[in-house]
């Protein structure tokens, strides 16, 4: 961010000064889906893990008891304050609580449940889609386990902790220091203002129980290779017995296209002849079935899916590196998507709401989304796979300490932050867990370890480590951050006008992208988080004037693409709290510029 960075820093300083009031949770702004939350006995009743589906499971979403206690309290409270609706964060409207917790307190949850008779003689897994940040889980008074990480799913085998009959009890203790700790936390701060938002504490994705056999399929890792017309598949299957085999079947609809039996080990390669390639215009998905077979009997079986697609880079005729999809250059254009909700904060009110943002993005003519310093529930990525939307996945930021630095002739390069061992270990552990959990989703084509120098450290080492973790995707080491000659991409942020990194300086080594631009603001009365002090990088009084500037931006992109620009990200999908620079309002009631008008000028840029 060379010529615009100083201007941006001054602008943000002004914004933060004007918005220095601690903005409390809006008591009134809700989405249309909020009314549906209480219309069902179990909120978010949909199966939460679409990449590994079993038919039998028990959803534990719904009313739990809660209490907020001093952090020093290590044992469950004697009494609880009332009910909280799981899985909505305690600070959110939909939780029914709307209270903050903070680093000096802990949040306790409690609920009881009964197991169906059909679960007898099964192993029982207790799953959490996500809980922010440290979760200590107790079952019937005994510790089932502890998990640290606000964005990755986790589970515990609770079989040995269950009573033989009757009511079972789960208690969860959550500690989340928000911006008082080094852990990944994205845009959350204890005093929201400007570009920083309300804290999210506690369980914020589905909680559920799953009965499995002692030997079961825990996860799958599919990696396509369109050049070899094959799919590499690793199967994580604990407690296999000698003689067990894993049977893998790939299907086009219901038509079998490949089958393998793994007799020794847990990995195989499926040949996929004449593969149907996945792309934004043709998002074809193959079905996948995986089973553990013992002496001819199926012990465990799951249903999944995969796509045949390739993301890579190669020089064009001018020697400029280009991002390629399925060995062809496709310009990637999409919004910065933060995934916040006025009523649920990190948690979409319903599955229909979760899907809505994606369908609207597609209707606007975008082919990509940059998922910004947040990780979504697995169903969001399943929808992106189905709709054909490319995803750049950010690592949620944390331990913010260093800043941008300009030097003559250098594009924002600065000395890396020095994190202590605890902070570094937290980062590496959670980033790896996120990449492992999201690896099966074909929509993800780029990993982004750092954003705008927020907590950026050991850039070259972390980037190379990320590339080693997943060689099948591109790595954008520092989106708009302090740049080093490492990774596949160099990513400039420029507000509000589009710009690009210099092809003559960087284009021969890295793909050139515009990781953020735009931020055109339009507050609409009745649809804002707060009545005043809303902001955008450039403000407008009506949608027509905004569209004229946006159209000019798209025309500028059209001239940058032949010069070497591979991708661009517009800020942003929706308004978020004090920011009113979304293409949609925060409550999703108004698309500020009709989707068809946006599609008419954007789709030609991304045509395959």
């Amino acid at each position: 961010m060379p010529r615009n960075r100083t201007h941006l820093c001054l602008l943000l300083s002004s914004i933060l000064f004007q918005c220095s009031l601690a903005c409390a949770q809006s008591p009134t702004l809700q989405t249309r889906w909020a009314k549906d939350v209480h219309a069902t006995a179990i909120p978010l009743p949909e199966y939460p893990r679409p990449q590994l589906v079993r038919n039998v499971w028990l959803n534990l979403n719904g009313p739990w008891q809660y209490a907020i206690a001093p952090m020093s309290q290590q044992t469950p409270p004697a009494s609880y304050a009332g009910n909280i609706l799981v899985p909505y964060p305690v600070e959110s409207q939909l939780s029914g609580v709307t209270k903050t917790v903070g680093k000096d307190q802990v949040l306790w949850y409690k609920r009881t449940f009964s197991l169906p008779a059909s679960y007898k003689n099964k192993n029982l897994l207790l799953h959490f889609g996500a809980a922010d940040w440290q979760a200590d889980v107790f079952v019937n008074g005994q510790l089932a386990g502890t998990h640290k990480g606000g964005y990755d799913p986790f589970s515990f085998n609770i079989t040995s902790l269950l009573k033989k009959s009757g009511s079972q009890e789960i208690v969860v203790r959550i500690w989340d220091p928000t911006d008082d700790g080094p852990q990944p936390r994205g845009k959350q701060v204890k005093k929201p203002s400007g570009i920083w938002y309300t804290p999210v504490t506690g369980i914020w994705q589905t909680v559920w129980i799953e009965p499995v056999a002692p030997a079961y399929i825990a996860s799958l890792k599919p990696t396509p290779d369109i050049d070899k017309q094959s799919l590499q598949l690793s199967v994580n299957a604990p407690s296999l017995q000698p003689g067990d085999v894993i049977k893998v079947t790939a299907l086009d609809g219901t038509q079998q296209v490949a089958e393998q039996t793994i007799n020794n080990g847990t990995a195989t390669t499926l040949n996929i002849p004449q593969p149907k390639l996945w792309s934004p215009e043709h998002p074809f998905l193959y079905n996948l079935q995986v089973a553990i077979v013992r002496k001819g009997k199926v012990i465990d079986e799951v249903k999944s899916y995969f796509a045949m697609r390739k993301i890579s880079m190669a020089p064009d005729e001018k020697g400029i590196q280009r991002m390629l999809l399925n060995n062809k250059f496709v310009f990637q254009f999409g919004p910065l998507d933060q995934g916040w909700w006025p009523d649920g904060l990190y948690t979409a009110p319903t599955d229909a709401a979760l899907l809505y943002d994606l369908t609207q993005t597609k209707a606007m003519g975008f082919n990509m989304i940059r998922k910004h310093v947040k990780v979504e529930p697995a169903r969001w990525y399943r929808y992106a796979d189905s709709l054909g939307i490319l995803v750049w996945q950010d690592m949620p930021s944390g331990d913010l300490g260093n800043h941008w630095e300009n030097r003559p002739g250098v594009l924002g390069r600065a000395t890396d932050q020095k994190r202590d061992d605890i902070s570094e270990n937290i980062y590496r552990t959670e980033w790896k867990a996120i990449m492992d959990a999201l690896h099966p989703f074909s929509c993800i084509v780029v990993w982004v370890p750092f954003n705008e120098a927020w907590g950026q450290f050991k850039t070259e080492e972390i980037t190379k480590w990320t590339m080693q973790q997943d060689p099948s995707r591109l790595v954008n080491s520092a989106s708009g951050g302090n740049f080093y000659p490492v990774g596949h991409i160099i990513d400039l942020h420029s507000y509000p006008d589009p710009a690009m990194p210099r092809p003559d300086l960087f284009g021969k080594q890295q793909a050139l992208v515009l990781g953020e631009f735009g931020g055109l603001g339009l507050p609409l009365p009745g649809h804002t988080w707060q009545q005043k002090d809303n902001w955008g990088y450039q403000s407008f009084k009506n949608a027509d004037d905004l569209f004229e500037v946006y159209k000019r931006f798209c025309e500028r992109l059209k001239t940058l693409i032949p010069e070497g620009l591979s991708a661009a990200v517009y800020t942003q999908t929706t308004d978020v709290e004090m920011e009113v620079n979304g293409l949609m309002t925060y409550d999703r009631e108004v698309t500020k510029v009709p989707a068809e008008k946006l599609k008419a000028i954007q789709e030609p840029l991304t045509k395959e």
Side-chain angles (χ1 to χ4, degrees):
M1 183 175 291
R3 62 185 181 87
N4 289 322
R5 178 170 293 163
T6 301
H7 169 72
L8 176 59
C9 290
L10 291 173
L11 175 62
L12 288 179
S13 297
S14 173
I15 290 165
L16 293 173
F17 174 76
Q18 294 171 18
C19 301
S20 59
L21 296 176
C23 301
Q25 164 77 29
S26 170
T28 57
L29 191 65
Q30 290 192 334
T31 66
R32 75 194 74 161
W33 299 279
K35 68 182 187 310
D36 299 327
V37 171
H38 299 285
T40 178
I42 301 177
L44 296 174
E46 297 81 11
Y47 190 80
R49 193 185 54 198
Q51 274 283 9
L52 197 74
V53 177
R54 292 187 181 89
N55 295 328
V56 181
W57 65 293
L58 178 65
N59 194 325
L60 296 182
N61 290 345
W64 292 47
Q65 294 178 279
Y66 87 95
I68 298 173
M71 184 185 171
S72 59
Q73 184 169 324
Q74 299 295 319
T75 58
S79 61
Y80 287 79
N83 284 345
I84 182 171
L85 192 63
V86 170
Y88 304 102
V90 67
E91 296 89 351
S92 71
Q93 296 179 61
L94 291 177
S95 73
V97 178
T98 321
K99 293 181 180 179
T100 57
V101 181
K103 70 179 177 64
D104 298 322
Q105 296 179 306
V106 290
L107 173 63
W108 288 91
Y109 292 84
K110 176 184 175 182
R111 75 156 289 167
T112 58
F113 65 97
S114 297
L115 292 169
S118 60
Y119 287 17
K120 189 176 181 180
N121 298 324
K122 294 282 189 178
N123 277 9
L124 277 297
L125 304 179
L126 173 60
H127 297 280
F128 292 79
D132 195 4
W133 177 69
Q134 176 177 314
D136 303 307
V137 181
F138 302 85
V139 175
N140 294 325
Q142 300 181 69
L143 181 65
T146 295
H147 178 78
K148 296 179 180 180
Y151 300 94
D152 58 305
F154 60 98
S155 62
F156 303 111
N157 188 328
I158 61 171
T159 311
S160 64
L161 307 179
L162 296 171
K163 301 175 185 176
K164 291 184 179 180
S165 62
S167 179
Q168 315 284 345
E169 179 189 83
I170 298 176
V171 172
V172 181
R173 179 185 186 270
I174 297 285
W175 177 63
D176 179 19
T178 310
D179 52 329
D180 286 318
Q183 82 293 341
R185 43 90 176 177
K187 290 288 197 80
Q188 305 174 57
V189 292
K190 59 183 180 293
K191 293 182 179 180
S193 64
I195 61 171
W196 308 102
Y197 315 139
T198 303
V200 170
T201 301
I203 299 167
W204 67 274
Q205 290 186 31
T206 293
V207 185
W208 51 295
I209 285 179
E210 181 181 38
V212 297
Y216 67 97
I217 299 161
S219 63
L220 303 174
K221 186 178 181 180
T223 305
D225 186 333
I226 68 168
D227 299 322
K228 295 181 179 179
Q229 300 188 24
S230 66
L231 178 79
Q232 298 175 1
L233 180 67
S234 297
V235 182
N236 178 15
S239 304
L240 290 177
Q241 294 185 8
D244 288 353
V245 299
I246 299 174
K247 183 179 179 182
V248 180
T249 307
L251 305 104
D252 178 346
T254 58
Q255 182 70 35
Q256 180 177 308
V257 296
E259 186 175 83
Q260 287 282 351
T261 298
I262 311 173
N263 293 301
N264 295 296
T266 54
T268 190
T269 299
L270 293 174
N271 295 319
I272 311 296
Q274 298 179 324
K276 298 180 179 179
L277 301 185
W278 181 96
S279 72
E281 291 190 7
H282 304 283
F284 182 82
L285 300 173
Y286 288 90
N287 292 321
L288 186 66
Q289 295 176 354
V290 183
I292 298 174
V293 181
R294 180 178 299 158
K295 297 179 180 179
K297 181 181 178 180
V298 174
I299 301 299
D300 186 37
E301 185 173 21
V302 297
K303 294 180 180 178
S304 187
Y305 69 93
F306 67 94
M308 295 298 291
R309 69 100 184 89
K310 176 184 178 182
I311 186 71
S312 60
M313 57 182 278
D316 62 14
E317 65 279 359
K318 299 178 183 178
I320 303 298
Q321 293 290 338
R322 294 286 192 170
M323 296 174 67
L324 306 181
L325 178 66
N326 300 330
N327 296 321
K328 297 188 300 182
F329 172 62
V330 175
F331 185 70
Q332 299 185 29
F333 186 28
L336 191 77
D337 191 306
Q338 307 207 57
W340 284 74
W341 301 83
D343 37 24
L345 300 179
Y346 260 17
T347 309
T350 67
D351 194 63
L354 192 73
L355 174 60
Y356 181 79
D357 283 3
L358 289 160
T359 56
Q360 283 297 99
T361 298
K362 190 79 172 180
M364 293 173 188
F366 292 115
N367 66 354
M368 176 263 276
I369 286 172
R370 181 180 167 207
K371 178 49 62 177
H372 189 43
V373 294
K374 185 202 175 190
V375 177
E376 293 291 350
R379 293 183 65 85
W380 187 91
Y381 300 94
R382 175 63 167 94
Y383 287 136
D385 281 346
S386 301
L387 292 169
I389 300 177
L390 303 164
V391 174
W392 297 12
Q393 179 60 57
D394 286 11
M395 170 61 173
S397 305
D399 200 359
L400 313 190
N402 52 327
H403 304 282
W404 285 320
E405 180 179 306
N406 284 317
R407 299 178 187 174
V410 179
L411 188 59
R413 181 168 177 172
T415 303
D416 279 330
Q417 179 178 342
K418 296 185 183 301
R419 292 199 186 190
D420 61 29
D421 290 344
I422 293 174
S423 175
E424 179 173 347
N425 184 62
I426 287 172
Y427 176 96
R428 287 181 183 268
T429 299
E430 191 156 0
W431 186 217
K432 184 180 186 305
I434 289 168
M435 288 189 286
D436 287 345
L438 298 183
H439 183 96
F441 295 102
S442 301
C443 60
I444 298 176
V445 294
V446 175
W447 298 118
V448 187
F450 299 113
N451 175 75
E452 290 188 351
W454 298 350
Q456 186 176 339
F457 75 105
K458 293 186 177 179
T459 305
E460 293 178 285
E461 182 178 330
I462 293 295
T463 300
K464 291 175 182 177
W465 175 71
T466 302
M467 294 166 68
Q468 290 169 358
Q469 294 297 316
D470 185 4
S472 71
R473 292 178 168 98
L474 301 182
V475 176
N476 180 3
S477 64
S479 182
N482 296 321
F483 301 106
Y484 290 79
V486 66
H488 302 103
I489 294 167
I490 187 162
D491 177 332
L492 174 70
H493 291 184
S494 175
Y495 284 100
D497 296 72
M500 65 182 287
R502 286 178 55 179
D504 58 329
L505 291 180
F506 308 104
K508 299 297 176 71
Q509 292 80 37
Q510 294 170 298
L512 310 172
V513 310
L514 172 59
E516 293 181 27
F517 79 101
L520 304 180
L522 177 63
L524 296 180
H527 302 282
T528 57
W529 177 258
Q530 57 189 34
Q531 295 303 309
K532 60 181 181 177
D533 294 329
N534 298 297
W535 70 276
Y537 290 93
Q538 182 177 345
S539 296
F540 296 85
K541 293 184 178 180
N542 63 74
D544 289 338
D545 289 347
L546 185 152
F547 178 67
E548 288 304 311
V549 174
Y550 186 87
K551 184 165 62 173
R552 175 167 57 81
F553 286 174
C554 288
E555 290 169 353
R556 174 60 177 155
L557 290 179
K558 195 180 299 183
T559 67
L560 294 177
I561 295 171
E563 294 180 22
L565 189 66
S566 277
V569 179
Y570 178 79
T571 301
Q572 60 184 328
T573 306
T574 72
D575 297 345
V576 184
E577 299 203 358
M578 294 132 280
E579 295 187 52
V580 291
N581 47 28
L583 295 165
M584 295 185 286
T585 55
Y586 198 17
D587 59 6
R588 278 70 167 176
E589 280 302 303
V590 182
T591 300
K592 298 176 186 180
V593 176
E596 57 271 18
K597 287 183 68 173
L598 293 171
K599 185 174 183 178
I601 62 171
Q602 292 177 172
E603 197 171 50
L605 299 174
T606 60
K607 204 71 177 175
E608 295 175 22

